[in-house]
Amino acid sequence: MLWQFMCQRRGAIFYNDVPVAPGTVNTTFPLQRTNYAPHFGGTNNDRVYRRVGEDTNGDGVINTSDRNDDICPVGSGAAPWWRPPSCPWPNPSPLSTSWFVDNDYRRGGFRNNREHRWVLMLNVNIRALLEWNQVNGSPLFAANDNTDWGLVIFLSVQGPLATAPPSTASVRYGVRIFDSADLDTRDVTFPTGQRDPTGLTVVSDQAIYIQGNYNYYPSQTNAQKYPAAVIGDTVNVLSQGWEVPMGGLKNDLKSAATLSSNNRNVPANDGYTAPNSGCGSGGCASFTTATALGINAAFISGVDNTVGSSYNGGLENYPRFHERWTGRTLNYRGSFVSLGVPLRANGAWCGTGNTCNIYDPPTRVWDYDANFNEVEKLPPLTPMITYVQQRLYTRFYK
């Protein structure tokens, strides 16, 4: 059934390749289609993202109905069931991000500048997975099962370097979740008369990258917000503007660029034209407003130690950034839990700006999610003490 989901929602699960010479770092190297094995199709070096001529929706015709998950369909009449609710209907014309611009479910290289490594990355559109499972009769998991507070999705990457010591691994492995601003795909998180909601926790033994608004959009109410958590070796945050071309580079090609080139800026807009924005990787129409970017989820991950003169960045750098967030606000509601030193991604925090070439921070509007004060609203796998049992009693006399 997972294969069926991948065929019907092409682009909802894909992977990032690692260039064949992972030690090479520059902005042109990851653009070359021949630097990947197997080679990307096409004839132009700037088309390593493209897979041309695929009938992704199975209607026998290659046209604008063939799409990735986060693209608004074009047409009139009865709306297709998989149309994101934020998309207009009828929709007379495709967006600039439609299938013929970037419909490859295989991606070029993503470089983690903190780790100084390329990343072999599994990418999953969590919202698309939840939605497809619900409308198809829950073949993958019971959509309404709130046993132990809800669903746990474990994602990982198999490979020879999955457990290699970070000092010897030539690449890193990672998991990215994207286009999942609204996890409550059928507005059933809080069914009528039911206080105990169904939660969602995404877990990985590798680094987790959250791209775009996650379980968050400005008009969201508490009744539409999932009890959510993300658990991984480390937690990394990419803006929903990561998909917007900057300085001639777009998508993951931006990761090899330097901060000083402006290629890794969080842009002022998401490249969509309102009201087509889906609050996924596209965001919420404009990043210039203070409520445009956000995450509602507990984080449980590893953090670097502060040893001697080596500072780990503190609580404010618990989530790891990879863009220039200058002038942009990241809203966060949740809770941070430390698992100690990461086992896989142990790159040191060296600060911000062009010298380190990792990130510039956002304006942090962060707070604890008071919903977690109610046990019914805790996400699955929440660490907790269920009872205290006295096993030893000793009296000391002075």
Side-chain angles (χ1 to χ4, degrees):
M1 296 305 297
L2 188 60
W3 287 359
Q4 182 178 343
F5 163 70
M6 293 173 68
C7 288
Q8 293 183 355
R9 303 300 292 273
R10 191 62 65 93
I13 296 180
F14 63 91
Y15 68 94
N16 285 71
D17 287 271
V18 172
V20 294
T24 303
V25 183
N26 57 61
T27 56
T28 60
F29 177 76
L31 281 168
Q32 309 299 317
R33 64 186 183 88
T34 56
N35 286 337
Y36 297 89
H39 294 173
F40 283 89
T43 57
N44 298 323
N45 284 331
D46 63 347
R47 292 295 184 230
V48 297
Y49 286 79
R50 182 190 290 270
R51 188 187 237 15
V52 178
E54 230 185 311
D55 177 21
T56 59
N57 71 346
D59 62 359
V61 180
I62 298 174
N63 57 20
T64 54
S65 295
D66 301 309
R67 59 187 285 276
N68 273 350
D69 174 74
D70 62 337
I71 304 302
C72 292
V74 175
S76 59
W81 64 265
W82 43 259
R83 176 180 65 93
S86 58
C87 291
W89 195 262
N91 185 20
S93 60
L95 302 177
S96 60
T97 50
S98 289
W99 68 278
F100 52 83
V101 176
D102 177 14
N103 82 321
D104 193 358
Y105 58 92
R106 178 181 165 211
R107 290 279 184 92
F110 180 101
R111 184 171 178 82
N112 185 314
N113 292 286
R114 177 166 174 167
E115 299 297 314
H116 307 292
R117 297 289 192 278
W118 296 91
V119 181
L120 178 61
M121 185 183 295
L122 171 69
N123 301 265
V124 180
N125 184 323
I126 296 296
R127 177 195 162 89
L129 182 65
L130 297 175
E131 183 183 56
W132 184 91
N133 181 69
Q134 288 178 339
V135 301
N136 284 280
S138 299
L140 299 176
F141 45 84
N144 59 350
D145 186 356
N146 61 357
T147 303
D148 295 327
W149 291 301
L151 178 67
V152 176
I153 297 178
F154 177 77
L155 304 171
S156 189
V157 178
Q158 290 184 324
L161 300 177
T163 59
S167 59
T168 63
S170 58
V171 300
R172 294 285 187 261
Y173 292 172
V175 167
R176 176 164 52 184
I177 52 181
F178 66 100
D179 278 1
S180 299
D182 183 5
L183 297 176
D184 190 12
T185 59
R186 297 288 165 182
D187 295 325
V188 293
T189 296
F190 291 87
T192 302
Q194 180 176 321
R195 176 175 174 77
D196 191 2
T198 299
L200 171 68
T201 294
V202 178
V203 186
S204 180
D205 59 335
Q206 303 295 331
I208 290 186
Y209 297 76
I210 303 174
Q211 179 177 307
N213 289 350
Y214 188 75
N215 196 30
Y216 172 95
Y217 49 94
S219 61
Q220 184 185 60
T221 66
N222 276 335
Q224 297 169 312
K225 182 175 67 174
Y226 255 44
V230 176
I231 305 176
D233 186 62
T234 58
V235 172
N236 301 259
V237 175
L238 297 171
S239 77
Q240 55 263 56
W242 188 253
E243 301 293 336
V244 180
M246 297 293 293
L249 299 179
K250 64 177 180 177
N251 298 328
D252 299 310
L253 299 180
K254 296 162 63 175
S255 66
T258 62
L259 282 178
S260 59
S261 68
N262 299 326
N263 285 287
R264 286 195 281 139
N265 283 355
V266 174
N269 61 72
D270 59 12
Y272 285 65
T273 301
N276 293 341
S277 174
C279 289
S281 63
C284 294
S286 174
F287 300 159
T288 57
T289 63
T291 59
L293 301 93
I295 295 173
N296 285 317
F299 288 168
I300 304 178
S301 75
V303 295
D304 287 335
N305 277 337
T306 291
V307 180
S309 61
S310 177
Y311 179 49
N312 72 353
L315 178 69
E316 67 274 21
N317 289 296
Y318 176 107
R320 301 183 176 193
F321 300 102
H322 302 269
E323 298 167 90
R324 176 183 282 165
W325 286 76
T326 305
R328 308 287 173 254
T329 296
L330 177 65
N331 298 276
Y332 174 82
R333 294 294 181 273
S335 179
F336 293 164
V337 177
S338 170
L339 294 178
V341 179
L343 298 179
R344 309 283 178 253
N346 67 344
W349 182 87
C350 74
T352 64
N354 296 328
T355 301
C356 288
N357 191 36
I358 300 174
Y359 74 104
D360 279 323
T363 298
R364 301 176 177 95
V365 181
W366 297 358
D367 202 353
Y368 169 71
D369 190 342
N371 281 347
F372 293 163
N373 291 336
E374 302 179 51
V375 68
E376 298 91 346
K377 298 178 183 178
L378 290 173
L381 297 183
T382 298
M384 62 181 61
I385 297 174
T386 55
Y387 66 93
V388 177
Q389 184 179 26
Q390 181 175 311
R391 302 298 300 271
L392 178 67
Y393 175 79
T394 302
R395 177 176 292 181
F396 291 91
Y397 296 93
K398 292 185 178 180

